[in-house]
Amino acid sequence: MADPMKIRAQMSGDKANVRVLMSHEMETGQRKDSSGKVIPAWFIQEVSAALNGKVVMTAQWGPSVSKNPFLQFAIKGAKAGDKVAVSWKDTKGDTRTDEATVS
Amino acid sequence: MPAALPPRRHRPVALTLSTALLAASAGPVLAQKTAADGIAEYRAMLADGNPAELFEAKGEDLWKKKRGPKNASLEACDLGKGPGVVKGAWVELPRYFSDTKRVQDLESRLLTCMETLQGFNAAEIVKQPFGKGEMPNLEALSAWISAESRELRFNLPQRHPEEKRLYELGKRAFFYRGGPMDFSCATCHGQPDKRIRLQDLPDLRSNPGDGVGFAAWPAYRVSAGELWSMQHRLNDCYRQQRFPYPGYASEATIALGVYMGVNAKGALSIAPAIKR
């Protein structure tokens, strides 16, 4: 089980500013270990964000996203107290979903 | 970070000339950013969403979790401000501890607590390479403990004779030149205007300012994708000097911590910071 994400969602004007910090190795599949063997690729492939259960954003990621990725986006029309849920799925099929309340 | 430039004295002729040049190109010259400004901007952009936060959360968890052969948490650990007091402890370390009768930095103190409270074998942990075994746990703990003292000012005690002795020892280690390149810590960190490529190097003989030098570690290192504790940072300094590493939590590394920490008196801690 992956480590939890850190999600902060704050209102600024009519938009909720969402900042997400994810904990993930994000192996590109291009690196070699000390014995010269290629470290297999392992990265987040799908990301989605939902506002009160309704999907507002989906993204497809590749191997060029950094380790421990930071994602920032804005949701128009969100209100304080709304629930923002972010989920990801990686190449090993592992998933993680975390939720935050808009403040 | 303001670029620290040595004071320049102009002779009258040179002054007139430079004033004339400045007047001709005042606009573009004033608008230009220095490399240090660029790096400061980059750090500010990264600071929002510093992955060190992930390590802080892990460290807090580890502090409270029952672990080790004795199945105990670290909550009774005395970091110098009484058992269990974490806030403000980081900015007063390394310091003398009467129970172990020696000066300890955060990491050597954590090792003591892990041994006495949790039953771990500290001597075994010390031998582990960075990134293996208990090392990531120690680094996560140092991330959380230092974060609890964020925005506090460094104020290391220097009352005990041992603390004074380690300051002198650290000073000697700092200026000790050797290795295939005849380097010392002071080669890079012993003047106010040194830099490596575009990065300004803090002058660690004095307080280089808030959130700079000693006051900026532990930090998340973007290039390594890892959080580095002070001991890990020192390890890299010695690697860059082509010195053998003095050993994890050894007296030499603690002494360097005392020297840099005492010199940084009054500096604001921003740890865990983010570094390129």
Side-chain angles (χ1 to χ4, degrees):
Chain A
M1 187 68 175
D3 286 334
M5 288 180 247
K6 290 217 92 169
I7 307 175
R8 285 167 296 170
Q10 276 176 322
M11 288 304 296
S12 70
D14 62 336
K15 284 179 291 199
N17 229 332
V18 185
R19 288 172 293 177
V20 191
L21 201 53
M22 304 172 191
S23 178
H24 202 281
E25 280 300 316
M26 302 299 283
E27 275 298 342
T28 60
Q30 311 230 17
R31 296 200 312 152
K32 285 176 183 166
D33 63 13
S34 49
S35 59
K37 275 198 297 215
V38 172
I39 305 170
W42 175 31
F43 52 85
I44 295 174
Q45 254 182 329
E46 290 167 32
V47 180
S48 71
L51 181 71
N52 297 327
K54 183 176 163 267
V55 174
V56 288
M57 184 201 69
T58 56
Q60 288 178 339
W61 282 7
S64 62
V65 176
S66 81
K67 185 175 178 175
N68 299 329
F70 175 66
L71 170 70
Q72 180 171 339
F73 56 93
I75 308 174
K76 243 188 203 169
K79 301 181 301 294
D82 282 356
K83 295 259 188 271
V84 178
V86 179
S87 354
W88 56 252
K89 187 179 176 196
D90 69 15
T91 47
K92 286 186 183 169
D94 198 4
T95 63
R96 168 108 216 162
T97 303
D98 286 285
E99 210 177 57
T101 309
V102 180
S103 62
Chain B
M1 224 181 322
L5 291 169
R8 285 203 189 111
R9 239 188 282 155
H10 292 280
R11 286 174 197 285
V13 182
L15 188 75
T16 339
L17 200 89
S18 63
T19 321
L21 276 173
L22 194 73
S25 58
V29 166
L30 289 176
Q32 214 156 57
K33 271 191 304 192
T34 65
D37 290 341
I39 287 174
E41 217 170 84
Y42 168 81
R43 285 202 187 122
M45 268 159 67
L46 286 171
D48 188 23
N50 180 356
E53 282 180 37
L54 297 169
F55 294 84
E56 283 174 35
K58 187 182 162 197
E60 186 174 5
D61 211 43
L62 280 165
W63 180 262
K64 292 171 182 162
K65 204 153 112 190
K66 288 195 167 85
R67 295 194 323 130
K70 290 191 187 165
N71 194 34
S73 78
L74 284 169
E75 283 163 308
C77 181
D78 181 358
L79 297 172
K81 295 183 84 74
V85 181
V86 176
K87 196 173 167 56
W90 169 246
V91 288
E92 291 178 18
L93 287 167
R95 72 187 301 160
Y96 180 79
F97 288 89
S98 50
D99 55 346
T100 53
K101 295 203 171 42
R102 60 191 188 105
V103 176
Q104 293 182 295
D105 68 347
L106 175 62
E107 287 161 88
S108 52
R109 189 62 192 167
L110 280 171
L111 285 172
T112 303
C113 287
M114 284 167 79
E115 191 161 68
T116 54
L117 299 172
Q118 299 183 311
F120 283 104
N121 185 344
E124 284 300 310
I125 297 173
V126 164
K127 282 187 234 152
Q128 288 167 345
F130 287 106
K132 297 267 160 56
E134 282 295 318
M135 283 297 168
N137 293 338
L138 275 160
E139 299 200 296
L141 280 164
S142 73
W144 179 64
I145 292 163
S146 61
E148 287 290 291
S149 297
R150 190 180 272 136
E151 308 283 295
L152 296 180
R153 296 194 176 274
F154 273 97
N155 187 19
L156 266 64
Q158 272 283 282
R159 284 181 295 273
H160 198 276
E162 271 294 287
E163 290 167 347
K164 288 180 187 144
R165 184 180 74 85
L166 258 78
Y167 179 84
E168 290 306 319
L169 190 66
K171 194 189 213 168
R172 272 178 70 188
F174 187 80
F175 289 99
Y176 182 79
R177 270 165 66 163
M181 302 201 295
D182 200 25
F183 262 37
S184 69
C185 304
T187 311
C188 296
H189 295 289
Q191 276 177 56
D193 55 350
K194 286 274 172 195
R195 62 178 207 190
I196 287 180
R197 287 183 231 126
L198 292 173
Q199 283 194 91
D200 291 321
L201 296 169
D203 178 359
L204 299 175
R205 297 169 310 160
S206 59
N207 175 2
D210 294 342
V212 185
F214 193 75
W217 293 90
Y220 182 80
R221 212 143 195 207
V222 180
S223 55
E226 282 298 338
L227 187 113
W228 279 16
S229 62
M230 184 52 91
Q231 289 281 339
H232 197 161
R233 181 68 191 90
L234 286 175
N235 174 62
D236 200 46
C237 284
Y238 278 103
R239 182 191 63 79
Q240 288 171 330
Q241 291 182 64
R242 311 292 184 271
F243 260 74
Y245 181 51
Y248 188 80
S250 60
E251 189 173 59
T253 55
I254 295 168
L256 272 172
V258 174
Y259 178 70
M260 295 188 293
V262 170
N263 290 349
K265 189 181 172 77
L268 203 70
S269 170
I270 59 158
I274 190 161
K275 294 282 181 184
R276 191 180 59 87

